[in-house]
mmCIF file of all heavy atoms in Angstrom:
data_model
loop_
_atom_site.group_PDB
_atom_site.id
_atom_site.type_symbol
_atom_site.label_atom_id
_atom_site.label_comp_id
_atom_site.label_asym_id
_atom_site.label_seq_id
_atom_site.Cartn_x
_atom_site.Cartn_y
_atom_site.Cartn_z
ATOM 1 N N GLU A 1 0.870 -1.195 0.000
ATOM 2 C CA GLU A 1 0.009 0.001 0.034
ATOM 3 C C GLU A 1 0.832 1.285 -0.005
ATOM 4 O O GLU A 1 0.584 2.257 -0.678
ATOM 5 C CB GLU A 1 -0.999 -0.012 1.222
ATOM 6 C CG GLU A 1 -2.054 -1.056 1.209
ATOM 7 C CD GLU A 1 -1.501 -2.480 1.545
ATOM 8 O OE1 GLU A 1 -0.365 -2.528 2.004
ATOM 9 O OE2 GLU A 1 -2.215 -3.445 1.375
ATOM 10 N N LEU A 2 1.900 1.242 0.761
ATOM 11 C CA LEU A 2 2.791 2.400 0.840
ATOM 12 C C LEU A 2 3.572 2.567 -0.526
ATOM 13 O O LEU A 2 3.610 3.667 -0.982
ATOM 14 C CB LEU A 2 3.829 2.253 1.908
ATOM 15 C CG LEU A 2 4.903 3.376 2.079
ATOM 16 C CD1 LEU A 2 4.203 4.723 2.301
ATOM 17 C CD2 LEU A 2 5.860 2.976 3.203
ATOM 18 N N ALA A 3 3.971 1.473 -1.081
ATOM 19 C CA ALA A 3 4.708 1.590 -2.356
ATOM 20 C C ALA A 3 3.613 2.146 -3.469
ATOM 21 O O ALA A 3 4.091 2.967 -4.255
ATOM 22 C CB ALA A 3 5.115 0.260 -2.808
ATOM 23 N N ARG A 4 2.475 1.709 -3.497
ATOM 24 C CA ARG A 4 1.451 2.212 -4.300
ATOM 25 C C ARG A 4 1.165 3.580 -4.216
ATOM 26 O O ARG A 4 1.153 4.407 -5.061
ATOM 27 C CB ARG A 4 0.160 1.414 -4.231
ATOM 28 C CG ARG A 4 -0.946 1.790 -5.226
ATOM 29 C CD ARG A 4 -2.130 0.902 -5.062
ATOM 30 N NE ARG A 4 -2.733 0.891 -3.653
ATOM 31 C CZ ARG A 4 -3.670 0.172 -3.277
ATOM 32 N NH1 ARG A 4 -4.239 -0.755 -4.136
ATOM 33 N NH2 ARG A 4 -4.143 0.211 -1.957
ATOM 34 N N TYR A 5 1.085 4.091 -2.937
ATOM 35 C CA TYR A 5 0.849 5.503 -2.695
ATOM 36 C C TYR A 5 2.045 6.293 -3.096
ATOM 37 O O TYR A 5 1.904 7.381 -3.796
ATOM 38 C CB TYR A 5 0.530 5.799 -1.147
ATOM 39 C CG TYR A 5 0.368 7.177 -0.753
ATOM 40 C CD1 TYR A 5 -0.612 7.935 -1.327
ATOM 41 C CD2 TYR A 5 1.408 7.749 0.023
ATOM 42 C CE1 TYR A 5 -0.630 9.335 -0.915
ATOM 43 C CE2 TYR A 5 1.339 9.124 0.392
ATOM 44 C CZ TYR A 5 0.270 9.903 -0.162
ATOM 45 O OH TYR A 5 0.243 11.150 0.170
ATOM 46 N N ALA A 6 3.244 5.853 -2.775
ATOM 47 C CA ALA A 6 4.392 6.593 -3.102
ATOM 48 C C ALA A 6 4.599 6.799 -4.654
ATOM 49 O O ALA A 6 5.086 7.753 -5.114
ATOM 50 C CB ALA A 6 5.683 5.939 -2.535
ATOM 51 N N ALA A 7 4.148 5.738 -5.287
ATOM 52 C CA ALA A 7 4.246 5.760 -6.804
ATOM 53 C C ALA A 7 3.419 6.948 -7.334
ATOM 54 O O ALA A 7 3.784 7.503 -8.353
ATOM 55 C CB ALA A 7 3.770 4.404 -7.348
ATOM 56 N N MET A 8 2.339 7.290 -6.649
ATOM 57 C CA MET A 8 1.457 8.398 -7.052
ATOM 58 C C MET A 8 2.178 9.685 -6.938
ATOM 59 O O MET A 8 1.798 10.649 -7.562
ATOM 60 C CB MET A 8 0.141 8.412 -6.367
ATOM 61 C CG MET A 8 -0.675 7.061 -6.589
ATOM 62 S SD MET A 8 -2.089 6.906 -5.407
ATOM 63 C CE MET A 8 -2.977 8.424 -5.799
ATOM 64 N N LEU A 9 3.234 9.729 -6.128
ATOM 65 C CA LEU A 9 3.931 10.981 -5.833
ATOM 66 C C LEU A 9 5.133 11.198 -6.774
ATOM 67 O O LEU A 9 5.770 12.345 -6.679
ATOM 68 C CB LEU A 9 4.482 11.005 -4.311
ATOM 69 C CG LEU A 9 3.263 10.783 -3.346
ATOM 70 C CD1 LEU A 9 3.941 10.899 -1.900
ATOM 71 C CD2 LEU A 9 2.244 11.859 -3.462
ATOM 72 N N VAL A 10 5.470 10.178 -7.510
ATOM 73 C CA VAL A 10 6.568 10.378 -8.490
ATOM 74 C C VAL A 10 6.074 11.321 -9.647
ATOM 75 O O VAL A 10 5.113 11.037 -10.361
ATOM 76 C CB VAL A 10 7.015 9.032 -9.029
ATOM 77 C CG1 VAL A 10 8.091 9.155 -10.147
ATOM 78 C CG2 VAL A 10 7.485 8.125 -7.917
ATOM 79 N N GLU A 11 6.832 12.424 -9.807
ATOM 80 C CA GLU A 11 6.403 13.380 -10.842
ATOM 81 C C GLU A 11 7.351 13.239 -12.071
ATOM 82 O O GLU A 11 8.582 13.240 -11.940
ATOM 83 C CB GLU A 11 6.534 14.818 -10.234
ATOM 84 C CG GLU A 11 5.591 15.047 -9.104
ATOM 85 C CD GLU A 11 5.711 16.426 -8.422
ATOM 86 O OE1 GLU A 11 6.626 17.096 -8.842
ATOM 87 O OE2 GLU A 11 4.938 16.662 -7.596
ATOM 88 N N VAL A 12 6.760 13.104 -13.219
ATOM 89 C CA VAL A 12 7.443 12.872 -14.483
ATOM 90 C C VAL A 12 7.170 13.909 -15.485
ATOM 91 O O VAL A 12 5.917 14.175 -15.740
ATOM 92 C CB VAL A 12 7.152 11.441 -15.029
ATOM 93 C CG1 VAL A 12 8.007 11.171 -16.338
ATOM 94 C CG2 VAL A 12 7.383 10.381 -13.986
ATOM 95 N N ALA A 13 8.180 14.555 -16.121
ATOM 96 C CA ALA A 13 7.924 15.536 -17.185
ATOM 97 C C ALA A 13 8.381 14.783 -18.494
ATOM 98 O O ALA A 13 9.503 14.219 -18.564
ATOM 99 C CB ALA A 13 8.743 16.720 -17.046
ATOM 100 N N TYR A 14 7.582 14.906 -19.572
ATOM 101 C CA TYR A 14 7.880 14.121 -20.783
ATOM 102 C C TYR A 14 8.026 15.096 -21.908
ATOM 103 O O TYR A 14 7.546 16.243 -21.957
ATOM 104 C CB TYR A 14 6.659 13.259 -21.228
ATOM 105 C CG TYR A 14 6.273 12.185 -20.185
ATOM 106 C CD1 TYR A 14 5.210 12.402 -19.321
ATOM 107 C CD2 TYR A 14 6.980 10.969 -20.185
ATOM 108 C CE1 TYR A 14 4.855 11.379 -18.400
ATOM 109 C CE2 TYR A 14 6.559 9.890 -19.300
ATOM 110 C CZ TYR A 14 5.597 10.234 -18.387
ATOM 111 O OH TYR A 14 5.178 9.263 -17.560
ATOM 112 N N GLU A 15 8.898 14.643 -22.916
ATOM 113 C CA GLU A 15 8.975 15.270 -24.214
ATOM 114 C C GLU A 15 8.372 14.387 -25.215
ATOM 115 O O GLU A 15 8.964 13.262 -25.505
ATOM 116 C CB GLU A 15 10.408 15.455 -24.489
ATOM 117 C CG GLU A 15 10.671 16.174 -25.918
ATOM 118 C CD GLU A 15 12.216 16.260 -26.327
ATOM 119 O OE1 GLU A 15 12.990 16.752 -25.468
ATOM 120 O OE2 GLU A 15 12.458 15.726 -27.374
ATOM 121 N N GLU A 16 7.077 14.677 -25.645
ATOM 122 C CA GLU A 16 6.367 13.746 -26.444
ATOM 123 C C GLU A 16 6.819 13.780 -27.818
ATOM 124 O O GLU A 16 7.235 14.886 -28.415
ATOM 125 C CB GLU A 16 4.825 14.117 -26.311
ATOM 126 C CG GLU A 16 4.224 13.849 -24.955
ATOM 127 C CD GLU A 16 2.703 13.882 -24.995
ATOM 128 O OE1 GLU A 16 2.112 13.064 -25.789
ATOM 129 O OE2 GLU A 16 2.145 14.667 -24.325
ATOM 130 N N SER A 17 6.669 12.650 -28.535
ATOM 131 C CA SER A 17 7.052 12.511 -29.991
ATOM 132 C C SER A 17 5.822 11.967 -30.729
ATOM 133 O O SER A 17 4.954 11.290 -30.045
ATOM 134 C CB SER A 17 8.304 11.566 -30.088
ATOM 135 O OG SER A 17 9.408 12.071 -29.505
ATOM 136 N N PRO A 18 5.776 12.184 -32.052
ATOM 137 C CA PRO A 18 4.646 11.545 -32.832
ATOM 138 C C PRO A 18 4.724 10.120 -32.751
ATOM 139 O O PRO A 18 5.828 9.453 -32.637
ATOM 140 C CB PRO A 18 4.899 12.046 -34.200
ATOM 141 C CG PRO A 18 5.852 13.238 -34.066
ATOM 142 C CD PRO A 18 6.708 13.040 -32.847
ATOM 143 N N PHE A 19 3.573 9.431 -32.622
ATOM 144 C CA PHE A 19 3.531 8.014 -32.521
ATOM 145 C C PHE A 19 2.508 7.461 -33.512
ATOM 146 O O PHE A 19 1.676 8.110 -33.985
ATOM 147 C CB PHE A 19 3.023 7.578 -31.140
ATOM 148 C CG PHE A 19 1.883 8.182 -30.622
ATOM 149 C CD1 PHE A 19 0.609 7.576 -30.924
ATOM 150 C CD2 PHE A 19 1.833 9.324 -29.791
ATOM 151 C CE1 PHE A 19 -0.590 8.134 -30.490
ATOM 152 C CE2 PHE A 19 0.622 9.851 -29.413
ATOM 153 C CZ PHE A 19 -0.590 9.260 -29.720
ATOM 154 N N ASP A 20 2.637 6.098 -33.850
ATOM 155 C CA ASP A 20 1.749 5.416 -34.706
ATOM 156 C C ASP A 20 1.227 4.303 -34.019
ATOM 157 O O ASP A 20 1.921 3.292 -33.709
ATOM 158 C CB ASP A 20 2.458 5.046 -35.991
ATOM 159 C CG ASP A 20 2.508 6.054 -37.131
ATOM 160 O OD1 ASP A 20 1.596 6.855 -37.162
ATOM 161 O OD2 ASP A 20 3.465 6.115 -37.826
ATOM 162 N N THR A 21 -0.100 4.183 -33.723
ATOM 163 C CA THR A 21 -0.716 3.015 -33.239
ATOM 164 C C THR A 21 -1.885 2.610 -34.114
ATOM 165 O O THR A 21 -2.655 1.713 -33.699
ATOM 166 C CB THR A 21 -1.156 3.207 -31.776
ATOM 167 O OG1 THR A 21 -2.069 4.384 -31.711
ATOM 168 C CG2 THR A 21 -0.047 3.434 -30.773
ATOM 169 N N ASP A 22 -2.115 3.278 -35.128
ATOM 170 C CA ASP A 22 -3.322 3.053 -36.071
ATOM 171 C C ASP A 22 -2.953 2.035 -36.994
ATOM 172 O O ASP A 22 -2.198 2.197 -38.041
ATOM 173 C CB ASP A 22 -3.623 4.350 -36.727
ATOM 174 C CG ASP A 22 -5.093 4.236 -37.406
ATOM 175 O OD1 ASP A 22 -5.419 3.088 -37.798
ATOM 176 O OD2 ASP A 22 -5.777 5.219 -37.487
ATOM 177 N N PHE A 23 -3.471 0.754 -36.836
ATOM 178 C CA PHE A 23 -3.044 -0.315 -37.681
ATOM 179 C C PHE A 23 -3.562 -0.153 -39.119
ATOM 180 O O PHE A 23 -2.824 -0.261 -40.029
ATOM 181 C CB PHE A 23 -3.699 -1.629 -37.051
ATOM 182 C CG PHE A 23 -3.468 -2.863 -37.893
ATOM 183 C CD1 PHE A 23 -2.351 -3.589 -37.808
ATOM 184 C CD2 PHE A 23 -4.622 -3.330 -38.623
ATOM 185 C CE1 PHE A 23 -2.194 -4.736 -38.506
ATOM 186 C CE2 PHE A 23 -4.367 -4.546 -39.447
ATOM 187 C CZ PHE A 23 -3.253 -5.128 -39.367
ATOM 188 N N ASP A 24 -4.764 0.261 -39.236
ATOM 189 C CA ASP A 24 -5.392 0.400 -40.587
ATOM 190 C C ASP A 24 -4.767 1.495 -41.395
ATOM 191 O O ASP A 24 -4.521 1.308 -42.586
ATOM 192 C CB ASP A 24 -6.862 0.710 -40.445
ATOM 193 C CG ASP A 24 -7.673 -0.452 -39.886
ATOM 194 O OD1 ASP A 24 -7.325 -1.592 -40.063
ATOM 195 O OD2 ASP A 24 -8.583 -0.163 -39.076
ATOM 196 N N ALA A 25 -4.306 2.571 -40.678
ATOM 197 C CA ALA A 25 -3.707 3.604 -41.516
ATOM 198 C C ALA A 25 -2.220 3.320 -41.904
ATOM 199 O O ALA A 25 -1.637 4.037 -42.740
ATOM 200 C CB ALA A 25 -3.594 4.869 -40.553
ATOM 201 N N ASN A 26 -1.688 2.281 -41.339
ATOM 202 C CA ASN A 26 -0.288 1.856 -41.693
ATOM 203 C C ASN A 26 -0.127 0.616 -42.465
ATOM 204 O O ASN A 26 0.938 0.169 -42.693
ATOM 205 C CB ASN A 26 0.515 1.759 -40.356
ATOM 206 C CG ASN A 26 0.841 3.113 -39.738
ATOM 207 O OD1 ASN A 26 1.802 3.858 -40.191
ATOM 208 N ND2 ASN A 26 0.107 3.519 -38.727
ATOM 209 N N LEU A 27 -1.263 0.146 -43.129
ATOM 210 C CA LEU A 27 -1.216 -1.059 -43.818
ATOM 211 C C LEU A 27 -0.324 -0.852 -45.051
ATOM 212 O O LEU A 27 0.313 -1.881 -45.498
ATOM 213 C CB LEU A 27 -2.556 -1.479 -44.264
ATOM 214 C CG LEU A 27 -3.505 -2.165 -43.148
ATOM 215 C CD1 LEU A 27 -4.938 -2.324 -43.759
ATOM 216 C CD2 LEU A 27 -2.945 -3.560 -42.864
ATOM 217 N N ASP A 28 -0.266 0.333 -45.610
ATOM 218 C CA ASP A 28 0.553 0.497 -46.775
ATOM 219 C C ASP A 28 2.104 0.452 -46.435
ATOM 220 O O ASP A 28 2.901 0.339 -47.372
ATOM 221 C CB ASP A 28 0.313 1.832 -47.401
ATOM 222 C CG ASP A 28 0.476 3.138 -46.525
ATOM 223 O OD1 ASP A 28 0.434 2.800 -45.239
ATOM 224 O OD2 ASP A 28 0.720 4.192 -47.018
ATOM 225 N N LYS A 29 2.417 0.439 -45.105
ATOM 226 C CA LYS A 29 3.767 0.338 -44.697
ATOM 227 C C LYS A 29 4.193 -1.153 -44.228
ATOM 228 O O LYS A 29 5.232 -1.306 -43.762
ATOM 229 C CB LYS A 29 4.100 1.301 -43.542
ATOM 230 C CG LYS A 29 3.866 2.755 -43.919
ATOM 231 C CD LYS A 29 4.109 3.596 -42.702
ATOM 232 C CE LYS A 29 3.863 5.089 -43.060
ATOM 233 N NZ LYS A 29 3.883 5.913 -41.852
ATOM 234 N N ALA A 30 3.265 -2.073 -44.513
ATOM 235 C CA ALA A 30 3.520 -3.488 -44.171
ATOM 236 C C ALA A 30 4.728 -4.035 -44.845
ATOM 237 O O ALA A 30 4.985 -3.671 -46.010
ATOM 238 C CB ALA A 30 2.261 -4.358 -44.461
ATOM 239 N N TYR A 31 5.451 -4.832 -44.227
ATOM 240 C CA TYR A 31 6.746 -5.368 -44.721
ATOM 241 C C TYR A 31 6.861 -6.861 -44.452
ATOM 242 O O TYR A 31 6.275 -7.394 -43.490
ATOM 243 C CB TYR A 31 7.919 -4.564 -44.168
ATOM 244 C CG TYR A 31 8.045 -4.635 -42.681
ATOM 245 C CD1 TYR A 31 8.894 -5.650 -42.090
ATOM 246 C CD2 TYR A 31 7.315 -3.869 -41.825
ATOM 247 C CE1 TYR A 31 9.074 -5.778 -40.679
ATOM 248 C CE2 TYR A 31 7.516 -3.919 -40.365
ATOM 249 C CZ TYR A 31 8.306 -4.860 -39.922
ATOM 250 O OH TYR A 31 8.352 -5.060 -38.518
ATOM 251 N N VAL A 32 7.735 -7.417 -45.278
ATOM 252 C CA VAL A 32 8.141 -8.893 -45.049
ATOM 253 C C VAL A 32 9.304 -8.831 -44.118
ATOM 254 O O VAL A 32 10.286 -8.230 -44.479
ATOM 255 C CB VAL A 32 8.394 -9.577 -46.327
ATOM 256 C CG1 VAL A 32 8.884 -10.962 -46.028
ATOM 257 C CG2 VAL A 32 7.226 -9.566 -47.227
ATOM 258 N N PRO A 33 9.185 -9.361 -42.875
ATOM 259 C CA PRO A 33 10.362 -9.418 -41.959
ATOM 260 C C PRO A 33 11.552 -10.191 -42.599
ATOM 261 O O PRO A 33 11.361 -11.158 -43.396
ATOM 262 C CB PRO A 33 9.906 -10.151 -40.776
ATOM 263 C CG PRO A 33 8.735 -10.938 -41.197
ATOM 264 C CD PRO A 33 8.139 -10.249 -42.372
ATOM 265 N N SER A 34 12.784 -9.794 -42.212
ATOM 266 C CA SER A 34 13.908 -10.543 -42.632
ATOM 267 C C SER A 34 14.006 -11.935 -42.034
ATOM 268 O O SER A 34 14.577 -12.885 -42.551
ATOM 269 C CB SER A 34 15.184 -9.769 -42.259
ATOM 270 O OG SER A 34 15.296 -9.521 -40.883
ATOM 271 N N GLU A 35 13.319 -12.101 -40.905
ATOM 272 C CA GLU A 35 13.163 -13.449 -40.172
ATOM 273 C C GLU A 35 11.855 -13.523 -39.496
ATOM 274 O O GLU A 35 11.456 -12.664 -38.890
ATOM 275 C CB GLU A 35 14.372 -13.543 -39.168
ATOM 276 C CG GLU A 35 14.370 -14.892 -38.445
ATOM 277 C CD GLU A 35 15.427 -14.893 -37.357
ATOM 278 O OE1 GLU A 35 16.288 -13.903 -37.194
ATOM 279 O OE2 GLU A 35 15.387 -15.891 -36.606
ATOM 280 N N TYR A 36 11.196 -14.660 -39.685
ATOM 281 C CA TYR A 36 9.973 -14.882 -39.053
ATOM 282 C C TYR A 36 10.143 -15.577 -37.764
ATOM 283 O O TYR A 36 10.929 -16.561 -37.643
ATOM 284 C CB TYR A 36 9.043 -15.680 -39.926
ATOM 285 C CG TYR A 36 8.364 -14.964 -41.156
ATOM 286 C CD1 TYR A 36 8.990 -15.012 -42.296
ATOM 287 C CD2 TYR A 36 7.190 -14.348 -40.935
ATOM 288 C CE1 TYR A 36 8.401 -14.404 -43.446
ATOM 289 C CE2 TYR A 36 6.568 -13.751 -42.044
ATOM 290 C CZ TYR A 36 7.228 -13.715 -43.275
ATOM 291 O OH TYR A 36 6.536 -13.092 -44.330
ATOM 292 N N LYS A 37 9.335 -15.176 -36.692
ATOM 293 C CA LYS A 37 9.292 -16.008 -35.511
ATOM 294 C C LYS A 37 8.577 -17.369 -35.797
ATOM 295 O O LYS A 37 8.856 -18.360 -35.325
ATOM 296 C CB LYS A 37 8.578 -15.237 -34.382
ATOM 297 C CG LYS A 37 8.449 -16.077 -33.066
ATOM 298 C CD LYS A 37 7.709 -15.209 -32.013
ATOM 299 C CE LYS A 37 7.776 -16.003 -30.688
ATOM 300 N NZ LYS A 37 6.933 -17.226 -30.576
ATOM 301 N N SER A 38 7.523 -17.204 -36.640
ATOM 302 C CA SER A 38 6.743 -18.375 -37.032
ATOM 303 C C SER A 38 7.264 -19.044 -38.252
ATOM 304 O O SER A 38 8.341 -18.796 -38.728
ATOM 305 C CB SER A 38 5.248 -17.830 -37.308
ATOM 306 O OG SER A 38 5.347 -16.876 -38.353
ATOM 307 N N THR A 39 6.511 -19.971 -38.727
ATOM 308 C CA THR A 39 6.821 -20.701 -39.992
ATOM 309 C C THR A 39 6.698 -19.722 -41.145
ATOM 310 O O THR A 39 5.680 -19.087 -41.340
ATOM 311 C CB THR A 39 5.895 -21.864 -40.239
ATOM 312 O OG1 THR A 39 5.847 -22.692 -39.068
ATOM 313 C CG2 THR A 39 6.381 -22.610 -41.479
ATOM 314 N N PRO A 40 7.807 -19.473 -42.023
ATOM 315 C CA PRO A 40 7.637 -18.595 -43.131
ATOM 316 C C PRO A 40 6.493 -19.027 -44.050
ATOM 317 O O PRO A 40 6.298 -20.302 -44.120
ATOM 318 C CB PRO A 40 8.997 -18.609 -43.718
ATOM 319 C CG PRO A 40 9.856 -19.160 -42.783
ATOM 320 C CD PRO A 40 9.097 -20.056 -41.831
ATOM 321 N N PRO A 41 5.771 -18.159 -44.766
ATOM 322 C CA PRO A 41 4.866 -18.672 -45.664
ATOM 323 C C PRO A 41 5.430 -19.543 -46.773
ATOM 324 O O PRO A 41 6.504 -19.279 -47.238
ATOM 325 C CB PRO A 41 4.263 -17.325 -46.338
ATOM 326 C CG PRO A 41 4.626 -16.275 -45.310
ATOM 327 C CD PRO A 41 5.917 -16.720 -44.624
#
């Protein structure tokens, strides 16, 4: 409980950068990996 409360008191200042989390908007950037974790097609 003390660790959780103390975590709320940690103050962080960020420098934000543009990010991409939109899957559909990035389909045109899809790529074939140099190595597959899975079975290659």
Side-chain angles (χ1 to χ4, degrees):
E1 292 79 8
L2 178 58
R4 180 175 59 185
Y5 173 65
M8 298 168 61
L9 303 181
V10 175
E11 297 176 354
V12 185
Y14 299 98
E15 178 184 308
E16 293 193 58
S17 299
F19 56 85
D20 274 328
T21 56
D22 191 329
F23 177 80
D24 296 326
N26 285 280
L27 282 172
D28 60 339
K29 299 176 185 174
Y31 61 95
V32 175
S34 57
E35 180 184 355
Y36 284 93
K37 178 182 187 288
S38 57
T39 307

